[in-house]
Amino acid sequence: HGVSCTILRVANGYGPRAQMKAPSFGILNWFIRLAIDNSEIKIFGDGKQVRDYVYGEDIIQAFLMVAARNDLNGEVLNVGSGVGVPLIDIVKKVVKLAGKGKIVYVPWPETNKKIDVGDFIADIQKIKMRVSWESSTGLDDGLSKTIQFYEKNRSHYW
């Protein structure tokens, strides 16, 4: 229809100011909420499924950099860290940084087994080459900032 657009496919985003009332809007933020509440964080199977996580400010930077360009019409670019982290490793980091929360291993529900995508790491080579973008916030730093934000502002988010 003659609409000029660029598509950004974003990996698992996390960070301050996200919706925290349900897990469907970001699994990592949901795990952070559970840890802050000192609740159980259920891990399906052994937790070794690998995912790519990217901090919210880095996502915003990618959108701004792409929006400032006129030569990306019709392009599809992946936005992620380009690094895979096993789920259990990231949950252990969340619990350690929050100083609370409980990890509980549960069997894979049959419905989840059928829809799990397997390991996922975003291939960010195209956005690095075309836009010179890559995430700049390390996982420990991003998790710390996110936990501190919600500890201070939880009354506004849940």
Side-chain angles (χ1 to χ4, degrees), residues 14 28 31-36 41 43 47 51 53 83-103 105 137-148 151:
Y14 72 98
L28 187 46
F31 288 158
I32 289 169
R33 177 192 170 137
L34 293 174
I36 289 171
I41 302 170
I43 301 297
R51 298 291 187 269
Y53 302 94
V83 177
V85 180
L87 184 65
I88 189 58
D89 291 353
I90 201 157
V91 172
K92 286 178 180 177
K93 283 180 183 279
V94 167
V95 168
K96 181 179 179 184
L97 291 167
K100 48 193 164 182
K102 302 169 194 86
I103 299 171
Y105 295 90
T137 307
L139 193 54
D140 288 347
D141 188 35
L143 289 173
S144 292
K145 288 178 184 179
T146 304
I147 291 167
Q148 289 169 11
E151 287 278 7

Side-chain angles (χ1 to χ4, degrees), residues 109-144:
E110 285 303 315
T111 53
N112 291 64
K113 272 187 193 177
K114 294 176 184 175
I115 62 169
D116 184 63
V117 299
D119 294 346
F120 174 77
I121 304 168
D123 180 352
I124 60 168
Q125 292 308 307
K126 189 174 180 181
I127 196 168
K128 282 171 79 172
M129 290 175 54
R130 296 293 309 273
V131 186
S132 297
W133 176 90
E134 61 185 308
S135 71
S136 60
T137 307
L139 193 54
D140 288 347
D141 188 35
L143 289 173
S144 292

Side-chain angles (χ1 to χ4, degrees), residues 9 22 27 31 38 52 57 71-72 81 87 115 122 142 154 158:
R9 292 189 295 212
I27 193 65
F31 288 158
N38 201 29
D52 187 328
E57 289 180 12
D71 63 334
L72 298 171
S81 68
L87 184 65
I115 62 169
R154 78 185 279 164
W158 59 98

